[in-house]
Amino acid sequence: MTKQYKSIQTKLIHAGEPRPLIQGAVSMPIFQSSTFEYSGQDSYHDLRYIRLNNTPNHIALHEKLAALENAEAALVTASGMGAISTTLLTFLFPGDHLLAQECLYGGTHEIIAKDFSAMGISYNFVKGDDPDSWKRKLRPRTRAIYVESMTNPLLQVADLKAVVEFAKVNGLISMIDNTFASPVNFRPAEWGFDLSLHSCTKYLNGHSDIVAGAVIGRSDLIEDIRRKLNHFGASLDPHACFLLHRGVKTLSLRMKYQNESALEIAKYLEEHSSVEKVNYPGLENHSGYQRACELFDGFGGMLSFELKGGVKAAERFMQKVTLPIVAPSLGGVESLITRPATTSHSGMSPDEREALGISDSLIRVSVGIEDTEDLIADFDQALK
Ligand SMILES: *Cc1c(COP(=O)(O)O)cnc(C)c1O
């Protein structure tokens, strides 16, 4: 069904689309049917049923998402956390051990730090740029190493090539949350990662109107995850499948624009006399710059910065901007702005945040697709 299109922009439109078209429909119809006529399947996992994630809406998305990252297979889920928790619990059993990058997405950090012990799973958080320290934390039952393509909110880039190498040498499954980069900027399978995870709520859908997730990667591992997902029930509803399918078609257009816009805004902020520090991997003085240049096709639409004048100045700035909406989440067409200390990282103590370099005055921006000059003009008036 899927031809080998080379460009991601063409894959976004054509990969996974049913051929022949269903009743000639140019847009994938919604199959709003919980169950489907029995057609001789032997296994429970092959019956067609929405929770088994195998209706036509799921199948089209699975093919499209796998094609985007040049991977073997993909699976959509009810949320990003549905993909992450199901993946971790497919491969980690009581007595097993996980190596995970410190400073993970809040929900992922919580499942590891708060829920694992009751399941008898142990873990160590490690620095993404210090492979020697990973080796020291390795245990006989270490099963996997888990990282993110860019950390939130400082946009640090781990030594991702070393992660893949370390996993291969030590027989671990390499897992990466690729939400922040999106398949336009980074395709983990091309660098040897076993599994790539996404909150499709963010860039893949891009319109801040659904919650969805995906896991993309090696087909043998995806098959194991699929079976676990069938039991856990974190399958994606066909309506949400339809919206994700529609939203993802413009991913490349949106992401390329957001890459450019965020870079321009980062440069503007870096020059401004009221700004103390800007975190964006496209700035040459950012710690992740060299790695981002080597691994990524773009630096992404996320940036964070600190103002001179601390929390007070940050709060005033957030009240004064008119275009960005003060809200958590990211990756949509509208710019969003938050203070991580009060939102995504409020679960951590001030000391924990400080250890990770996240100050209480840090402001995070998800750059949308508004005109760059309009956004800069708005930031400019707010900074005055
Ligand atoms: C939002 C997010 C998640 C969780 O996704 P949900 O769709 O909200 O469950 C996981 N990882 C990253 C990096 C995220 O930004």
Side-chain angles (χ1 to χ4, degrees):
M1 197 150 68
T2 301
K3 295 196 204 79
Q4 289 302 309
Y5 312 106
K6 245 174 75 189
S7 155
I8 193 165
Q9 196 145 327
T10 308
K11 288 176 185 173
L12 283 163
I13 309 302
H14 292 290
E17 297 297 320
R19 290 288 186 275
L21 296 171
I22 298 164
Q23 293 286 312
V26 169
S27 164
M28 181 75 196
I30 307 173
F31 281 77
Q32 197 63 43
S33 180
S34 60
T35 188
F36 289 71
E37 194 172 22
Y38 178 72
S39 58
Q41 299 93 338
D42 296 327
S43 159
Y44 163 77
H45 294 276
D46 296 329
L47 296 172
R48 292 213 291 161
Y49 184 62
I50 288 176
R51 182 173 41 75
L52 302 182
N53 236 52
N54 57 7
T55 76
N57 292 102
H58 297 109
I59 292 165
L61 272 176
H62 294 161
E63 284 196 28
K64 196 184 286 290
L65 294 182
L68 297 185
E69 291 197 348
N70 279 324
E72 292 172 0
L75 190 63
V76 288
T77 58
S79 66
M81 283 311 298
I84 292 164
S85 58
T86 306
T87 298
L88 289 171
L89 297 179
T90 298
F91 301 108
L92 295 167
F93 292 92
D96 286 346
H97 175 252
L98 174 75
L99 287 175
Q101 187 178 7
E102 61 179 17
C103 198
L104 293 172
Y105 171 74
T108 312
H109 184 273
E110 295 241 324
I111 188 175
I112 294 171
K114 304 229 162 101
D115 297 331
F116 268 20
S117 69
M119 297 184 265
I121 304 166
S122 59
Y123 61 88
N124 280 107
F125 288 120
V126 292
K127 290 201 184 311
D129 57 1
D130 186 10
D132 288 339
S133 72
W134 310 342
K135 196 154 193 97
R136 290 197 294 276
K137 297 281 162 57
L138 202 63
R139 297 187 195 171
R141 287 191 58 180
T142 308
R143 298 290 182 223
I145 181 162
Y146 186 106
V147 295
E148 295 182 351
S149 49
M150 282 180 258
T151 64
N152 176 27
L154 299 177
L155 293 316
Q156 287 159 342
V157 184
D159 191 343
L160 301 180
K161 289 206 300 189
V163 171
V164 170
E165 187 57 28
F166 184 80
K168 288 219 160 81
V169 168
N170 295 292
L172 314 181
I173 300 174
S174 51
M175 304 174 177
I176 182 166
D177 181 331
N178 195 32
T179 302
F180 270 47
S182 95
V184 171
N185 288 338
F186 186 56
R187 293 163 299 282
E190 293 177 356
W191 295 84
F193 274 96
D194 296 312
L195 293 171
S196 156
L197 296 134
H198 284 275
S199 169
C200 303
T201 312
K202 317 292 170 54
Y203 287 107
L204 285 170
N205 178 60
H207 292 73
S208 309
D209 52 10
I210 57 162
V211 167
V215 50
I216 306 173
R218 266 172 53 188
S219 56
D220 57 330
L221 304 180
I222 296 286
E223 182 54 25
D224 292 340
I225 300 164
R226 183 175 81 95
R227 291 188 162 245
K228 196 68 83 174
L229 187 75
N230 289 350
H231 297 157
F232 287 175
S235 51
L236 192 61
D237 178 83
H239 262 281
C241 285
F242 170 81
L243 287 171
L244 174 56
H245 194 137
R246 179 167 81 162
V248 81
K249 288 180 186 173
T250 55
L251 175 68
S252 181
L253 297 178
R254 286 185 277 109
M255 202 71 238
K256 283 179 183 162
Y257 185 83
Q258 284 161 306
N259 285 340
E260 282 175 25
S261 198
L263 180 60
E264 252 185 81
I265 292 168
K267 284 181 174 163
Y268 157 78
L269 288 170
E270 195 180 36
E271 298 285 299
H272 200 286
S273 59
S274 309
V275 176
E276 181 74 42
K277 184 167 194 275
V278 183
N279 304 299
Y280 185 67
L283 296 178
E284 282 176 42
N285 62 9
H286 187 270
S287 65
Y289 178 72
Q290 293 298 340
R291 283 195 200 111
C293 286
E294 186 188 358
L295 297 161
F296 301 161
D297 293 339
F299 302 112
M302 299 298 297
L303 61 90
S304 62
F305 63 100
E306 281 173 57
L307 294 177
K308 292 175 183 159
V311 175
K312 272 219 174 81
E315 278 177 345
R316 271 212 315 275
F317 176 81
M318 307 237 320
Q319 282 163 6
K320 293 283 181 195
V321 284
T322 59
L323 283 177
I325 299 165
V326 179
S329 198
L330 60 111
V333 292
E334 56 289 289
S335 294
L336 301 179
I337 190 164
T338 61
R339 212 144 58 73
T342 63
T343 52
S344 54
H345 292 71
S346 59
M348 291 181 180
S349 70
D351 286 348
E352 283 177 295
R353 282 197 297 270
E354 203 186 297
L356 293 172
I358 304 165
S359 80
D360 283 359
S361 62
L362 189 76
I363 297 169
R364 188 191 81 174
V365 184
S366 169
V367 177
I369 63 167
E370 301 94 339
D371 181 71
T372 311
E373 291 311 312
D374 283 346
L375 284 171
I376 288 177
D378 189 31
F379 282 26
D380 209 52
Q381 64 77 24
L383 285 170
K384 281 185 186 131

